[in-house]
């Protein structure tokens, strides 16, 4: 179930700083910023660094937070969605992807989706706006893997299952994460993706790139159907994967 939260742009202080400080630029580019909750049943995977995939401990419902930056004109939308696992370091949610890739996303008329990926951030969002975010509930970080799959499945449906109102469903999803959330994404791609409900259809790459090369590597990833994994030492730790659900 998907529910839209009102007032995303009227009160941008609860958005990641990298988004909130660029609201005017985003709107001037013909885009809108919206926020949603997504509720689904998920498996609680064990939180450890052992062999993949992690074992399942239980199942429970989650209601997670989703941020979108989308074109206002449906005919402009490219069909490509950049799905970021928002970085939770320091207990503050950040979009490490947006500052480096915003120009590319806006020029192409792609859509951007940010997914909250730690329970500590969910609790911080609830404290910052108790009434607005009261329905959020993620009791265990091990629910993240099925949350990623739930968001991607929704994005594939017409109008993104409610996450892309007025737009067609995503034709291709490029998942990304930086630092801590980049590690989460690699865990998902390497161990949990094959277990995701709704089964993924194709993975065409994952890579780590220097910050100044993000846009060029994004272009290569998006424009080629297949892209072999690349690992660049001393990189930004930005893991990019084209994940087709």
């Amino acid at each position: 179930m998907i529910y839209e939260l009102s007032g995303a742009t009227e009160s941008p202080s609860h958005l990641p700083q990298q988004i909130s400080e660029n609201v005017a630029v985003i709107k001037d580019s013909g885009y809108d910023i919206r926020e949603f909750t997504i509720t689904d049943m998920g498996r609680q995977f064990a939180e450890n660094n052992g062999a993949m995939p992690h074992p399942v401990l239980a199942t429970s419902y989650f209601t997670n937070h989703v941020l979108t930056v989308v074109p206002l004109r449906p005919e402009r939308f490219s069909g490509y969605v950049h799905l970021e696992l928002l970085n939770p370091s320091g207990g503050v949610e950040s979009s490490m992807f947006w500052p480096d890739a915003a120009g590319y996303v806006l020029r192409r008329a792609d859509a951007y989706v940010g997914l909250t990926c730690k329970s500590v951030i969910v609790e911080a969002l609830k404290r910052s706006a108790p009434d607005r975010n009261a329905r959020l509930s993620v009791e265990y970080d091990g629910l993240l893997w099925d949350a990623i799959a739930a968001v991607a499945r929704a994005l594939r449906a017409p109008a993104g299952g409610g996450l892309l109102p007025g737009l067609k469903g995503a034709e291709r999803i490029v998942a990304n994460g930086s630092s801590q959330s980049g590690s989460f994404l690699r865990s998902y791609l390497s161990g949990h993706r094959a277990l995701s409900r709704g089964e993924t259809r194709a993975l065409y790459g994952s890579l780590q790139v220097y910050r100044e090369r993000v846009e060029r590597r994004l272009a290569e990833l998006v424009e080629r159907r297949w892209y072999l994994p690349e690992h660049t030492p001393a990189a930004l730790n930005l893991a990019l994967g084209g994940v087709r659900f």
Side-chain angles (χ1 to χ4, degrees), residues 8-9 23-24 62 69 83-84 98 113 115-116 145 161 221 226 232 239:
T9 56
V23 169
F62 62 83
V69 181
L83 172 60
E84 178 177 20
W98 188 258
V113 174
L115 173 64
T116 295
W145 318 118
L221 183 64
W226 295 97
T232 305

Side-chain angles (χ1 to χ4, degrees), residues 16 20-21 36 71 101 106 110-111 123 125 136 141 156 170 177 181 185 213 222 229 241:
S20 65
E21 66 188 9
F36 302 86
L106 298 176
D110 294 349
E123 293 306 312
L125 290 170
L136 293 176
D141 288 335
R156 282 284 182 183
S181 55
L185 178 60
R213 297 169 62 198
V222 166

Side-chain angles (χ1 to χ4, degrees), residues 8 13 35 57 61 63 77 79 140 166 168 199-200 213 229 245:
S13 60
E35 288 181 284
L57 302 179
Y61 280 99
T63 300
F77 177 41
Y140 308 102
K168 61 186 176 182
E199 198 68 36
T200 57
R213 297 169 62 198
F245 287 79

Side-chain angles (χ1 to χ4, degrees), residues 43-48 54-60 140 142:
R43 292 162 294 180
Q44 178 194 343
F45 289 91
E47 299 168 32
N48 60 48
H54 299 163
V56 176
L57 302 179
T59 60
S60 64
Y140 308 102

Side-chain angles (χ1 to χ4, degrees), residues 147-161:
I148 296 171
V151 170
R153 283 198 308 272
L155 290 170
R156 282 284 182 183

Side-chain angles (χ1 to χ4, degrees), residues 64-84:
N64 209 345
H65 173 256
V66 181
L67 161 71
T68 70
V69 181
V70 294
L72 287 170
R73 290 167 47 197
E75 69 273 15
R76 287 193 63 222
F77 177 41
S78 68
Y80 283 73
V81 176
H82 301 271
L83 172 60
E84 178 177 20

